[in-house]
Amino acid sequence: MVREAMLQYADIALILVPLAGALLSFVLPRAVSLIGIASAVGITFCALGLTETLLTNGVRQHLVGGWGAPLGIELRADGLSTLMLLMTAVVGLGISLYARVWFRSEANKAIWFWPLWLLLWTALNALFLAADLFNLYVTLELLGLSATGLTALAGSAAALGGAMRYLLVSLFGSLLYLLGIALIYHQCGNVDIALVAECLSPTSPSWAALALIVSGLVLKTALFPFHFWLPPAHASAPAPVSALLSALVIKATFYLLLRLWLDLFSPLAPQLDSLLGLLGAAAVLWGSLLALRQVRLKLLIAYSTVAQIGYLFIAFPLASVGMSAWNGALYLALSHALAKASMFMAAGNLMRHAGHDRIRELDLVAQRLPLSVTAFALAGMSIMGLPPSGGFVAKWWLLESALQQGMWSLAIVLVVGGILAAAYVFRVVGFAFTESPVTHEACPIPRAMEWIALVLALGSLLLGVFVQPPLEVLAVGTPLAGGN
Amino acid sequence: MAADDTRVSAVTPWHFYALLGVGLFSLALYTFIVQAHLLRKILAFNIMGSSVFLVLAGLAGSPAGEAPDPVPHAMVITGIVVAVSATALALVLMLRLRDTSGRLTLPEDMGG
Amino acid sequence: MNQWLPLLVLASSLLPGLIIFALPEHKHRLRTILNLTGALLKLALVLGILWGVFNQQQYEVRLALLPELDMVFRVGPLALFFIILSSGLWLVTTIYAIGYLEGSPNRSRFFGFFSLCVTSTVGLAMAGNLFTFLLFYEMLTLTTYPLVVHRGTAEARRAGRTYLYYTVSGGALLLAGTVWLYSLTGTLEFVPQGFVSGLDASHHQALVVIFVLLIGGLGVKAALVPLHGWLPKAMVAPAPVSALLHAVAVVKAGAFGIVRVVYEVYGVEFSSSLGVAYPLAIVAAITIIYGSMRAMFQDNLKRRLAYSTVSQVSYIALGVAIVGPIATIGGLVHLVHQGVMKITLFFCAGILDETLGIHKVSEMKGVGRRMPWTMGAFTIAAFGMIGLPPFAGFVSKWYLSLGALEAEQDWVILLLVASSLLNAIYFLPILHAAWFREADGPWPHERELGRYETALALLLPPLVTAALTVLIGLFAAAPLTPLEWAKLISIREFGRP
Amino acid sequence: MTIAELFSAVLLLAGSLFFIAGTIGLLRFPDVYTRLHALTKADNVGLGLIVTGLILQAPSWEVAGKLMLIWLLVLVASASACHLVACTALERGVTPWRQ
Amino acid sequence: MNQRNYLWLLQRTALFSLLWWLLTEGNASSWWFGVPLVLLATGVSTLLAPPSCRSLAGWLRFIPFFIGHSLKGGFDVAWRAMHPALPIAPLLVEYQMRLANEQARVFMTNTACLLPGTLGARFEGASLKVHVLDGHGDFHSELETLEKKVAALFCIDLENNDGRI
Amino acid sequence: MAAFNLALALLLLSTLAAGLWRILQGPTPADRMLAAQLFGTTAVACLLLLAQSSGRASLRDVALVFALLAAVAVVAFVRRTWHPALRKGGNRRDNR
Amino acid sequence: MPEKSNNQPTPEVQPPSESGLRWLSAALLLVLFAGLASAIMSLPVGTSGLSGEVEAELANSGVSHAVTAVLLNFRGYDTLLEMAVLLVALIGVWSLAPATAAPLTAPGSVLERLVELYVPIMLLTAGYLLWNGAHAPGGAFQGGAVLAAAAVLMFLSGRSLPASLEAWPFRSTIALGLIVFSAVAALLAWRRGALLDYPPAAAGALILLIETTATVSIGSILAALFLGGRPGDGR
Ligand code: NA
Ligand code: NA
């Protein structure tokens, strides 16, 4: 009975459960972490339930208010959405468990973290389910504001500056998006993605809308050269927040870009994919090089995110043949979510332990926090694209598409990016093996924080072993068939 | 809704509002980019928001005296609430930034 | 059972490795038991498979990984050839390492990675397609790095960084080549005589580039000049790690990969007609001479041995690149012979270091009298390296020469003679100093290690491998020796003896 | 045009003139106190006249009442605001302009 | 609560009802929503401002006075603003109010802002600082007239009053 | 009549330009606040005129809200922005 | 908080960016404007958007004003999320800083009398705007804004929330609108299968319930935002 209800309402429950959790945790600050964990577990079950219904009954559609497009708003859960929801649920659960321990010593921050995080989760789920352009705008804003609040939570000047920059960029990106929607509405008379897809034509309003929306989302996704805002924000936030920003928030805007690209824009501007690919390639190289230059661990990880975002965009020009490029990009998104969350958690552990995150002074941490270093290294495998890991599988597919189409330069970027990633990951791991004496007071780290990081890292490796299940989910009602 | 050929491209007063909107948008965007002071950036964001609303609602005027399309108006109201929320958060963030760093501008880039 | 055995072979070192990671540092006894049980079990399983393969059994496991691309383990003669070497030498090295690291810190970490390293090697040996090979090849890189930097000194970390730059780049080349190949052929399954020869001639140019990518990727680990730079630096690692790098796992994995690519991806005949085999032979030849020349001028003993490895491993590539069944036998058999001999040398170098603090050739005067057993083993292995009969190295060089004649590549004879001369030039002075010179003074850093000239756990392994060097040379023609296996493989590849 | 409309137009015009006068005062007067005089008095009379003018055009009594209500509210607000600004200016030491 | 207070409450309720009626422009169907609101507004108002005396007759007499004087004030200031010579002679003067009631004082201060030439700038207790636009004018008698009118509104007898609240 | 109302509304709007000049000139924040107040009152008048001319009764409600919010704005100004107690140092900027 | 910046020496502002950058952005924005303008000029005229659809279903929406019908019924889900946006902003603000200290001086009689007069009227007006929303422009946000203005006026006159209300009663009031909205949405999903699928007969009442609670919450959120920080500490 409960099970059936859950299967039937899994999609809307994915929005209502985190929302209810947020409201409860706001009203009852004393029970925040309990409410938060309960919500996270609930969301995870809902996501699993949705996956099950998707696999048995196919694409799910929910007409909010019973109206249906174009008058009403529709929610739609196909394989792509469900996969993103599932990823968010799993990584979100990990982040929640981690945050519960992390904020145990900072109760005054926990009471803000939980409602903000649950509202951010609401925004993520709502975004992945939305099939309506304007509704997507609202979810984008909810996402941006809650992410800003979370970023600023650390309270340091760096965090506030990072949050401010992020807020301005995010708001500006949303405005570009909204202006694009305005043009689309006045051209098509509605904002339902499926209906708009039938209406857009190669005329200047459509192109303008495309340019506005794509640039707004590219800005929010921090694609090179619009990545400038990402490292300060992601590196200065508290560890659980860094984890969720890098692992999930970036993915949401990328998902949206991908969705709109596939459904609306790709026939409109077939040349644009080369530009996106070029920027992606530049992001891979530039992000990796800057990651190599960083003195602080969290900045290194943040720049690694910049580079990994680049891979996601390399898929655009590769996707004209078959599905493997999109599969690769999505697989990279999935494994990066797990790996990057784990890396930021490991970095958070090291930082708490040592009181700083200067890479050169991470002496002997391998002995003191072996699990965290292991988590970092294993997550690093996925980032480097070494087997067995989700990152490897993703890179395999991307490389396959690149070589099949003779896009040598992109293939070279993919290969070189992996080498650079190895260089920066091992810069950190290398210091873990030093044998310098203890020079500072070390703060003990709860074991749970290390284990959670490790489990997420292992998850990113398992993605490299169990490849079929995610692909099966992705294949349901897929928009990824691509042009041939 | 396929593009149907009966619709003609012509200039109406509603286009004028929209043009005003994009003009304002461009101007405010210039301020948003060029001005370092955060308050000005936030104000510029607000003007940009208003100009987007102008485009959205301005074009919703009906051609033949019927009631104007309510959907863009509803969207504008939603957009205003969002803009108000964002502005409030941005202002408080700005003041906190001033309290901690003594500056009303964004910090320099980190790490490159 | 046939499905499970290959997996059990993997598990026999994987599980002990994982458990050892979790063991607290002070549980030496449990760790030792796990290590030895794993090593013995693996050897027993491998011998079981050997028996099966000898009786025409098929061992194959297939696990779905990517769509249409499986992880495949198949134990045929070639795989078994390498597995026996690895698992046999692993047992010996484990015993040696237990003795060598007695009392030093971070042993759980060390033995954990040690076991994973062998797991990767065995997985790579059993790989039934290039994809699986690639997976384990990369894992090998990752699991060896912590061993190279194990000491944690600045020098060790530098060496580790160099090692990574080389091997990760090599892995990237291999990946690129593999993916490209896959996008052309749609399969990566290893089969005798290769699977690419059927491709349309328009792809031949791409195939040449892919060959370069693959050999480039493998050549890093195989230390082909100019990709050898990491190997001499990595000698800062503890002696058991050097043994692992030079004889059991890493370098051998590269050489083994070259064998796989030439024989079972391209097919040796097709490689030749494609025009890629000859350049490979040239590269191997250059490496042989270059490595030996550099070895001559090294005073640091381990570094001299490292350059010797650079030179000697390329005999394998040379044998593979010379088209003909006899040269193949020579190359393949050297895979085992070089391993047994080189591990002996590194064991001995480690003993000298541990017991007397000797690092340099110039400090070895008179050490023969101080440590006769150790230097005896060293001498046997060195003679083998030079290629003196009846030691193992002679068999390799003999078959290589015959193969060169058969393939009408007479220059190889000259090369082998020159190489042997050079080998003699850098080994004989060591032996002379050790046996026939008087020690200058006290040893640099002498330690008392047990009743014998050194600790028993250190002394036994080189004695065993030195004995093997003699035995597989003397009884090369007996059944189940490396030479006989090599012949079997060669027949499969060429369809004729 | 009816008498009521004519009368209304006169009132509206007069009200607008007061607005303009108030604005001129705001521009010409020398300090914040005198500008307050101009703004408060002229604009409120202006608004009062406009409201009265509009009442003459109003469709119903209720609307007329609502217009009056709005004017009253503005009146109260302006008067209070005028005092508050003047008071604050005094407290901040803004000295009144003298000839 | 005495009878006067009930009356006062009733007055206020009626006032807010009138307000609601005006707001909804006489929509009869709005009362189901309006009644609770009116009661709420009355309640809040009572909480904020306790009952006090108001004279209806005073109000009736005050309105024409106010309209006339504010028109005069408007003309006065408009004339001064438009005049090329800008005929103003501002002065800050002090006026001692005789009004005992604080509400009445506030009312007077506010009204002074709208009447000709005066601006209630600050008051402390009974002393009111007035900014006058033309120091030569007879602002003092103007203020006294105003004070009388205000006193009538708030049922205050200015003559028998010792200045205390 | 509607056209007349509309014209007056436009006339009133034009006076706002003068208010802009006062905002630019200052000199004290209070002067700028006065201009804002001018905007408020003028806007109420405009809205009432427009409500009449366009027949949109809802504009009167907007005027009502304007009347209410204008008061709040001034109070916020004197209590928060220009509050005497918050003054530090001299009043150079206030007096000119 | 803004008062501090008033007389303080203006915090250092970076020197204006190089003129090259300015010219570049100006040129780019000119291009942007030209592109957008041309797009707008070629937008088709005569599209009535969704007004036909709205018109057709207005009778079933529970309200007679089209914009309100869109906001609370047809696109009510947007409004639900929009209220979450408002709440997020408030939580963000509260997480950043304690509320600013109240003005130091007594408010003065004039202000107090103004408050006494205005606050009840604003309350009534807020209710009127809310009620009006069903058939004319107006509604929860407008009503909430007026309500917030009333609260702000109270704060400015030196009145603050009683300490007993600052904890969960205040938080509940803030969350009330969203709680009711999402509860109605969930309830309707459970009974009728879709979020916010109002039965036409009950739509008007449910929408009014949602709007009333939303007005209260929006009012308190906006008022709380004005304070610029969390109440209760830092005084
Ligand atoms: Na070599
Ligand atoms: Na060699």
Side-chain angles (χ1 to χ4, degrees), chain G residues 23-102:
Chain G
W23 281 109
L24 185 70
S25 3
L28 282 177
L29 290 173
L30 217 59
V31 172
L32 172 80
F33 174 72
L36 288 177
S38 87
I40 283 190
M41 295 317 280
S42 48
L43 271 180
V45 289
T47 53
S48 53
L50 291 170
S51 40
E53 282 86 348
V54 172
E55 201 66 40
E57 296 288 356
L58 195 54
N60 298 324
S61 71
V63 290
S64 58
H65 184 55
V67 175
T68 308
V70 174
L71 274 176
L72 270 299
N73 195 333
F74 306 139
R75 300 189 67 89
Y77 173 57
D78 276 346
T79 309
L80 176 75
L81 291 181
E82 164 222 290
M83 290 197 51
V85 172
L86 208 50
L87 182 66
V88 154
L90 179 74
I91 299 176
V93 166
W94 279 9
S95 74
L96 279 169
T100 339

Side-chain angles (χ1 to χ4, degrees), chain C residues 458-474:
Chain C
L458 294 181
L459 190 55
L460 278 179
L463 293 180
V464 171
T465 50
L468 270 177
T469 307
V470 179
L471 289 176
I472 56 182
L474 271 177

Side-chain angles (χ1 to χ4, degrees), chain C residues 250-282:
Chain C
V250 179
V251 170
K252 283 298 151 58
F256 181 73
I258 293 175
V259 174
R260 281 283 200 207
V261 166
V262 174
Y263 288 167
E264 305 203 335
V265 175
Y266 278 74
V268 69
E269 309 269 5
F270 184 68
S271 313
S272 175
S273 69
L274 204 58
V276 291
Y278 191 66
L280 177 60
I282 299 290

Side-chain angles (χ1 to χ4, degrees), chain G residues 61-177:
Chain G
S61 71
V63 290
S64 58
H65 184 55
V67 175
T68 308
V70 174
L71 274 176
L72 270 299
N73 195 333
F74 306 139
R75 300 189 67 89
Y77 173 57
D78 276 346
T79 309
L80 176 75
L81 291 181
E82 164 222 290
M83 290 197 51
V85 172
L86 208 50
L87 182 66
V88 154
L90 179 74
I91 299 176
V93 166
W94 279 9
S95 74
L96 279 169
T100 339
L104 307 167
T105 55
S109 309
V110 171
L111 183 52
E112 281 186 12
R113 295 294 89 77
L114 184 71
V115 169
E116 286 167 16
L117 179 67
Y118 254 51
V119 167
I121 294 180
M122 287 173 125
L123 212 62
L124 211 58
T125 312
Y128 160 69
L129 289 172
L130 165 64
W131 168 81
N132 206 30
H135 51 80
F141 182 67
Q142 291 88 328
V146 173
L147 205 58
V152 165
L153 207 52
M154 302 258 293
F155 294 140
L156 291 173
S157 71
R159 292 164 220 254
S160 62
L161 219 53
S164 62
L165 293 179
E166 263 170 7
W168 73 266
F170 189 41
R171 285 167 175 256
S172 310
T173 316
I174 279 170
L176 178 70

